Amino acid sequence: MTPEAADATATGTVTDTATGTVLLAGIFSGDLEEAWQEIQPDTARRLLIAAVEAFAARGFHATTTRDIARGAGMSPAGVYVHYRSKEELLHQITLIGHRHTLRLVREVSASVSGPTRQLHAVIRDLTTWHARHHTTTRVIEYELHSLSPEHHTAILALRREIDGLVRQILEDGVGQGVFEVPDVPTTTLALLSLSVDVARWYHTPARHSEERLGQLYADLALRMVGSEPLP
Amino acid sequence: MTPEAADATATGTVTDTATGTVLLAGIFSGDLEEAWQEIQPDTARRLLIAAVEAFAARGFHATTTRDIARGAGMSPAGVYVHYRSKEELLHQITLIGHRHTLRLVREVSASVSGPTRQLHAVIRDLTTWHARHHTTTRVIEYELHSLSPEHHTAILALRREIDGLVRQILEDGVGQGVFEVPDVPTTTLALLSLSVDVARWYHTPARHSEERLGQLYADLALRMVGSEPLP
DNA sequence: GTCTATAGTAAGATAGAC
DNA sequence: GTCTATCTTACTATAGAC
């Protein structure tokens, strides 16, 4: 990977490998669909979106670079002007997605006070995000094993941060006596499982809107930690 | 697929495509590791086990038939004496695994009385099964999309049966006033999500034994349906 | 920056000897 | 029933024209 692309992890911008063009800026405001819109140039964005759709539908290894090029309306060689390899496409998608998830948990958690409201809001929005963007989240949750070892390790660090934020809410709740949780780490895992697994099974048309599902899952989450429901 | 292999779906036996040898008999008693032991001849069993391990570690498409052959101590051509294609290996694994899951839910549910005890026992054993055999369950839960359309459809029917059994327990509990569930289908999905997702993250050495995790998850399940804990 | 053309490799599956 | 050898296809990635 070039120094430019490597900078993605450190600075929060994503830079085109070949052209040096800044691909992503301000990705941390707004939802992911908007973030894709910020990727420049156009072709790099179309390629990334085509890759997300193909990886979600068929998996990383079953997707060919020709599929991706075709999805972006380009020749097979066009991919390599903007990305060094198929794996770099997966890495960018996975990195952007995980940063978005981490930021979502952080900001939602900071936007309300008290473990009960925090847990409810986090699970609600995390679930809604997995449902609304199930194409993207399916890739970022289930194609990790196709990343290079270095990229895989870096993504796992982000995942541990996310886990840590949720676990802290549970520990706060237990400490304040509003949650009753026999095993905080395992219950944290179970809560995250609920939202993550939405990426596996959710598809439209769906029984519930993304927001409604988020509400239902947030209510389940409060039950799981032995909390009173929100008023 | 040959008529012999096609019979697998109808009769509950799995037959070697080339030799006509019965591969699986009595698969429905004992756990899956024992079921693998029943596969005959030896080479067919070794190939199936090698395929499970490779598919779980790398995914279906990233696994080569050469990987599988090597894992079974055979030449690449040896695979095709026992299986018509790589997809047939995945299909056998997925079929055996889903039948096992369906039978597990059915039998555990029938072995106790009352929705509370039934739900607790089903989630406990389903979770334990996903944890103990996370290699197998990772394949059967996450590689469905690599099946042929016909096989995929057949497996989805088995999955609907499993879902229906759990949903019935919830409906019984609501009907008897021991559960309080605002949305039975969605809560059923959430409960199954918990156990399924174990296949994604569980690995040894683990924080908890498979049985302990099953206990913890069964207790969570009762909370999710608004039930009193078991005495 | 995009294309056509293709190099180089590796895959799934089969032929035919033993 | 297993092997060696190989056919055929399709893939990732690059070269070089424009």
Side-chain angles (χ1 to χ4, degrees):
Chain A
M1 179 181 272
T2 62
E4 288 79 15
D7 266 354
T9 311
T11 65
T13 59
V14 176
T15 312
D16 190 293
T17 303
T19 63
T21 314
V22 172
L23 294 180
L24 279 170
I27 161 183
F28 301 132
S29 51
D31 80 358
L32 195 65
E33 221 95 78
E34 290 162 28
W36 296 150
Q37 295 308 315
E38 308 232 10
I39 296 177
Q40 293 296 334
D42 260 21
T43 39
R45 187 189 69 241
R46 290 207 318 275
L47 285 164
L48 208 71
I49 292 172
V52 169
E53 285 170 359
F55 293 162
R58 286 177 289 252
F60 176 79
H61 275 103
T63 297
T64 70
T65 53
R66 283 169 169 80
D67 293 333
I68 296 167
R70 196 178 324 116
M74 298 193 72
S75 73
V79 175
Y80 296 91
V81 175
H82 299 280
Y83 301 95
R84 308 181 87 230
S85 64
K86 196 171 78 160
E87 193 270 348
E88 194 194 324
L89 275 160
L90 177 63
H91 177 228
Q92 293 298 345
I93 293 162
T94 308
L95 182 60
I96 293 168
H98 275 81
R99 280 188 182 149
H100 182 84
T101 305
L102 177 55
R103 179 177 166 279
L104 179 154
V105 172
R106 220 177 243 150
E107 295 201 349
V108 170
S109 182
S111 72
V112 293
S113 63
T116 306
R117 273 197 283 266
Q118 285 178 327
L119 182 64
H120 194 273
V122 164
I123 298 301
R124 182 195 62 205
D125 288 6
L126 202 54
T127 301
T128 300
W129 144 245
H130 275 81
R132 172 165 300 129
H133 298 282
H134 62 271
T135 308
T136 299
T137 52
R138 197 166 301 163
V139 176
I140 72 171
E141 301 290 0
Y142 295 114
E143 301 294 334
L144 293 178
H145 60 291
S146 297
L147 291 169
S148 72
E150 301 77 36
H151 291 159
H152 189 240
T153 303
I155 297 294
L156 287 192
L158 291 174
R159 294 180 76 86
R160 267 190 298 276
E161 280 198 71
I162 295 164
D163 184 272
L165 289 168
V166 176
R167 178 159 43 214
Q168 189 58 54
I169 297 174
L170 263 60
E171 279 168 2
D172 292 347
V174 170
Q176 297 175 25
V178 293
F179 295 169
E180 197 253 306
V181 177
D183 184 317
V184 166
T186 303
T187 305
T188 302
L189 252 172
L191 288 165
L192 290 173
S193 272
L194 276 190
S195 293
V196 166
D197 202 57
V198 168
R200 180 179 61 85
W201 61 260
Y202 194 86
H203 62 272
T204 47
R207 181 187 303 274
H208 298 297
S209 73
E210 298 89 345
E211 286 80 7
R212 177 79 185 115
L213 187 69
Q215 275 287 342
L216 285 165
Y217 270 40
D219 294 344
L220 281 177
L222 291 191
R223 286 183 170 196
M224 289 166 76
V225 299
S227 160
E228 291 297 312
L230 280 185
Chain B
M1 177 181 270
T2 61
E4 287 80 15
D7 266 353
T9 311
T11 66
T13 60
V14 176
T15 311
D16 189 293
T17 302
T19 63
T21 314
V22 172
L23 294 179
L24 279 170
I27 163 182
F28 299 134
S29 52
D31 80 356
L32 195 66
E33 221 95 79
E34 290 162 28
W36 295 149
Q37 294 309 315
E38 308 233 10
I39 296 176
Q40 294 297 332
D42 260 21
T43 38
R45 188 189 69 241
R46 290 208 319 274
L47 284 165
L48 208 70
I49 291 172
V52 169
E53 285 171 359
F55 293 162
R58 285 177 289 254
F60 176 79
H61 275 104
T63 297
T64 70
T65 53
R66 284 166 172 79
D67 292 334
I68 297 167
R70 196 178 324 114
M74 299 191 72
S75 73
V79 174
Y80 296 92
V81 175
H82 299 280
Y83 301 95
R84 310 180 85 229
S85 65
K86 196 172 77 160
E87 194 271 349
E88 195 193 323
L89 276 161
L90 177 63
H91 178 228
Q92 294 297 346
I93 292 162
T94 308
L95 183 60
I96 293 168
H98 276 80
R99 281 188 182 149
H100 182 85
T101 305
L102 177 55
R103 178 178 166 279
L104 178 155
V105 173
R106 219 177 243 150
E107 296 201 348
V108 170
S109 182
S111 72
V112 293
S113 63
T116 307
R117 272 196 283 265
Q118 284 178 327
L119 183 64
H120 193 272
V122 164
I123 298 302
R124 181 195 61 207
D125 287 7
L126 202 55
T127 301
T128 300
W129 144 244
H130 275 81
R132 172 165 300 130
H133 299 282
H134 61 272
T135 309
T136 298
T137 53
R138 197 166 300 164
V139 176
I140 72 171
E141 300 290 0
Y142 295 114
E143 300 293 337
L144 293 179
H145 59 292
S146 297
L147 291 169
S148 72
E150 301 77 36
H151 290 159
H152 189 240
T153 303
I155 297 294
L156 287 192
L158 291 174
R159 293 179 78 85
R160 267 191 297 276
E161 280 198 71
I162 295 164
D163 183 90
L165 289 169
V166 176
R167 179 159 42 214
Q168 189 58 55
I169 297 173
L170 263 59
E171 279 168 4
D172 291 348
V174 170
Q176 296 174 26
V178 294
F179 294 169
E180 198 252 307
V181 178
D183 185 317
V184 166
T186 303
T187 306
T188 302
L189 251 171
L191 289 164
L192 290 173
S193 271
L194 276 190
S195 293
V196 166
D197 202 57
V198 168
R200 180 179 61 86
W201 62 259
Y202 194 87
H203 62 271
T204 46
R207 182 187 302 274
H208 297 298
S209 73
E210 298 89 345
E211 287 80 7
R212 177 79 186 117
L213 187 70
Q215 275 286 341
L216 285 166
Y217 269 41
D219 294 345
L220 281 177
L222 291 190
R223 286 183 170 195
M224 289 166 76
V225 298
S227 159
E228 291 296 312
L230 279 184

